């Protein structure tokens, strides 16, 4: 069994009854030292399941990174910074910026339904140099490497044991970003956090990831809200005075409403876990975006240390069962979709779609 301090440390939180093949688990050991890092970049990612499985996120930044919807086909060549190469076994779709024909993905799902999103994890993220006899992957290579080669978390887990996330920049002027990752398929969800004590991996039955502090904090912090309920409430204050409800929703008084990562984690988790949704596609994607809307960042409400306004630049929802990417942007609230069809999967080049940024309005008269 791998211990804390080794290159990989697997941690099991509320494990499913049947453990995933290829994983070894430790009990959680929270290390509070250096947890409280400044977090000027924000995102919220979640999983969701009705008849199909869904995965998506809010991308919260004070700038845009020339993101586009990008489909990587099967057999697309990737050269790793470790000197090794591979060709993608599976096609995948997501949001990326493309530099020198290389897609730098923020999130994506492959044709088998395995999905990954990277979220900012400043100062807590820790990367190493190249280590022999390890699978050496940079943070920006992790998504194409995993989605291009594996069909499920069970498959990926067998290789994560040997994973070493390295600190090699993409190119001069483009340094590595401090990231952690949420990985999901239709059975499981895990969080991957490269930290100084090793790559920490958690089972995530909440289906949410935000930013700092580390995931172990969020799993503890959610216990502070165990009394919240979507139901009508009763007087539990005292039997000595008569108290009554004056509004619906009072069972969730105390649900945090600010834009901090800890609060967004709790608010999105409460809304996701209490969501009631029909199983058809339109209802599912509508509900998914409603949950993301509950943690969207509005311009003028959250300022960065550089005196810029952080906003939700785009929100996306991927039907991972069917390979459909839905999105809307800060300036265009209409939902747009891109399908990963067989022609895209079998091309010899990337398929790239610009985002529809102009507000679309349907005028009735």
């Amino acid at each position: 069994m791998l211990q804390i301090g080794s290159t990989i440390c697997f941690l099991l939180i509320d494990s499913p009854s049947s453990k995933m093949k290829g994983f070894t688990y430790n009990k959680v050991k929270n290390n509070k030292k250096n947890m409280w890092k400044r977090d000027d970049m924000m995102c919220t990612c979640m999983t969701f399941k009705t008849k199909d499985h869904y995965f998506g996120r809010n991308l919260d930044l004070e700038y845009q990174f020339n993101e586009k919807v990008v489909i990587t086909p099967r057999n697309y060549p990737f050269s790793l910074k470790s000197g090794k190469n591979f060709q993608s076994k599976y096609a995948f779709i997501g949001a990326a910026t493309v530099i020198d024909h290389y897609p730098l993905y923020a999130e994506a799902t492959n044709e088998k339904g395995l999905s990954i999103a990277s979220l900012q994890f400043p100062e807590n993220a820790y990367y190493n140099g190249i280590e022999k006899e390890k699978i050496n992957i940079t943070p920006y290579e992790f998504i194409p490497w995993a989605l291009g080669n594996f069909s499920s978390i069970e498959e990926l887990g067998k290789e994560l044991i040997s994973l070493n996330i390295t600190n090699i920049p993409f190119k001069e002027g483009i340094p590595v970003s401090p990231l952690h990752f949420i990985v999901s398929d239709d059975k499981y969800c895990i969080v991957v956090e490269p930290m100084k004590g090793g790559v920490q991996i958690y089972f995530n039955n909440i289906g949410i990831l935000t930013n700092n502090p580390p995931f172990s904090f969020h799993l503890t912090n959610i216990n502070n809200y165990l009394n919240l309920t979507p139901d009508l409430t009763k007087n539990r204050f005292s039997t000595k005075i008569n108290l009554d409800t004056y509004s619906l929703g009072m069972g969730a008084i105390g649900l945090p409403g600010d834009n901090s990562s800890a609060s967004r984690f709790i608010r999105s988790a409460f809304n996701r876990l209490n969501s009631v949704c029909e199983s058809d596609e339109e209802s599912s994607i509508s509900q998914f975006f409603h949950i993301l809307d509950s943690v969207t960042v509005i311009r003028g409400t959250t300022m960065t240390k550089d005196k810029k306004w952080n906003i939700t630049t785009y929100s996306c929802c991927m039907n991972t069962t069917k390979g459909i990417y839905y999105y809307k942007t800060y300036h265009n609230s209409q939902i747009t979709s891109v399908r990963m069809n067989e022609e895209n999967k079998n091309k010899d080049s990337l398929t790239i779609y610009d985002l529809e940024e102009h507000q679309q309005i349907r005028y009735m008269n």
Side-chain angles (χ1 to χ4, degrees):
M1 180 176 291
L2 298 167
Q3 302 298 320
I4 286 181
S6 61
T7 303
I8 299 288
C9 175
F10 287 97
L11 302 126
L12 177 64
I13 311 294
D14 293 331
S15 65
S17 56
S18 58
K19 292 185 177 180
M20 292 176 281
K21 297 177 181 178
F23 284 85
T24 303
Y25 301 105
N26 287 343
K27 292 183 179 179
V28 175
K29 297 181 181 180
N30 289 336
N31 179 11
K32 293 184 178 180
K33 185 178 180 181
N34 295 327
M35 283 176 59
W36 307 99
K37 303 297 185 180
R38 182 161 184 165
D39 187 3
D40 289 314
M41 300 180 181
M42 300 153 42
C43 294
T44 304
C45 187
M46 77 172 197
T47 67
F48 191 68
K49 191 167 186 177
T50 54
K51 182 180 67 175
D52 291 341
H53 186 255
Y54 300 86
F55 180 88
R57 61 106 60 85
N58 285 343
L59 195 290
D60 306 327
L61 286 172
E62 71 273 20
Y63 60 87
Q64 292 185 279
F65 56 91
N66 196 31
E67 62 269 27
K68 302 177 187 299
V69 180
V70 179
I71 301 173
T72 296
R74 300 165 183 151
N75 301 312
Y76 193 77
F78 286 91
S79 298
L80 301 177
K81 293 298 183 180
S82 65
K84 296 184 178 181
N85 303 316
F86 74 91
Q87 288 186 319
S88 56
K89 181 178 180 181
Y90 304 111
F92 44 98
I93 183 172
T97 181
V98 178
I99 301 176
D100 299 333
H101 307 289
Y102 194 105
L104 299 168
Y105 279 97
E107 78 284 327
T109 187
N110 72 13
E111 58 184 292
K112 297 297 183 179
L114 183 64
S115 309
I116 306 178
S118 61
L119 293 83
Q120 289 290 325
F121 196 44
E123 296 186 57
N124 276 311
Y126 186 86
Y127 307 135
N128 303 299
I130 295 287
E131 295 185 11
K132 293 182 179 179
E133 299 180 359
K134 295 289 184 179
I135 300 174
N136 294 287
I137 300 291
T138 65
Y140 50 85
E141 292 170 339
F142 182 67
I143 292 179
W145 170 77
L147 298 187
N149 288 294
F150 305 103
S151 64
S152 68
I153 288 178
E154 288 188 0
E155 277 190 13
L156 175 62
K158 298 173 185 177
E159 302 300 320
L160 288 181
I161 296 172
S162 302
L163 180 67
N164 177 48
I165 299 183
T166 64
N167 55 11
I168 306 172
F170 180 73
K171 62 187 305 184
E172 185 177 355
I174 306 179
V176 291
S177 296
L179 302 173
H180 60 172
F181 305 88
I182 181 170
V183 186
S184 175
D185 59 21
D186 63 353
K187 291 182 179 179
Y188 304 112
C189 180
I190 61 173
V191 171
V192 178
E193 294 189 331
M195 298 182 69
K196 197 166 186 178
V199 178
Q200 313 290 308
I201 300 182
Y202 304 83
F203 175 72
N204 181 1
N205 66 342
I206 300 172
I208 297 291
L209 184 64
T210 56
N211 312 100
N212 282 333
F215 191 64
S216 58
F217 165 85
H218 295 291
L219 292 173
T220 300
N221 183 52
I222 198 170
N223 290 280
N224 293 321
Y225 301 92
L226 58 83
N227 277 317
L228 297 187
T229 175
D231 297 331
L232 296 172
T233 58
K234 297 179 181 180
N235 176 16
R236 291 196 292 259
F237 190 86
S238 174
T239 58
K240 297 178 181 179
I241 56 176
N242 293 322
L243 299 176
D244 200 4
T245 58
Y246 55 81
S247 173
L248 296 176
M250 292 179 67
I253 288 178
L255 184 68
D258 62 89
N259 290 334
S260 67
S261 57
S263 294
R264 285 182 285 107
F265 187 97
I266 298 300
R267 195 159 69 251
S268 55
F270 181 84
N271 290 330
R272 175 191 179 275
L273 294 171
N274 289 291
S275 167
V276 177
C277 184
E278 301 295 331
S279 62
D280 63 280
E281 182 76 348
E282 290 77 15
S283 297
S284 299
I285 61 172
S286 177
Q287 188 81 335
F288 194 102
F289 279 112
H290 280 310
I291 297 170
L292 287 182
D293 285 344
S294 72
V295 289
T296 193
V297 181
I298 299 168
R299 180 177 284 115
T301 63
T302 304
M303 182 176 284
T304 72
K305 62 182 179 181
D306 296 324
K307 306 298 182 182
K308 296 180 180 179
W309 294 118
N310 188 293
I311 64 170
T312 298
T313 59
Y314 71 83
S315 303
C316 70
C317 167
M318 292 173 276
N319 181 322
T320 70
T321 308
K322 295 185 172 71
I324 306 173
Y325 186 95
Y326 300 93
Y327 73 89
K328 59 181 182 176
T329 71
Y330 192 85
H331 299 290
N332 181 17
S333 57
Q334 183 186 69
I335 297 172
T336 304
S337 72
V338 178
R339 298 175 183 270
M340 182 168 56
N341 57 39
E342 287 301 315
E343 180 182 357
N344 302 139
K345 294 176 186 177
N346 293 308
K347 288 179 64 175
D348 57 4
S349 61
L350 302 173
T351 303
I352 303 173
Y353 296 89
D354 290 333
L355 297 188
E356 293 285 349
E357 293 277 14
H358 182 71
Q359 180 64 61
Q360 305 295 306
I361 301 174
R362 181 183 179 186
Y363 293 97
M364 299 298 292
N365 59 19

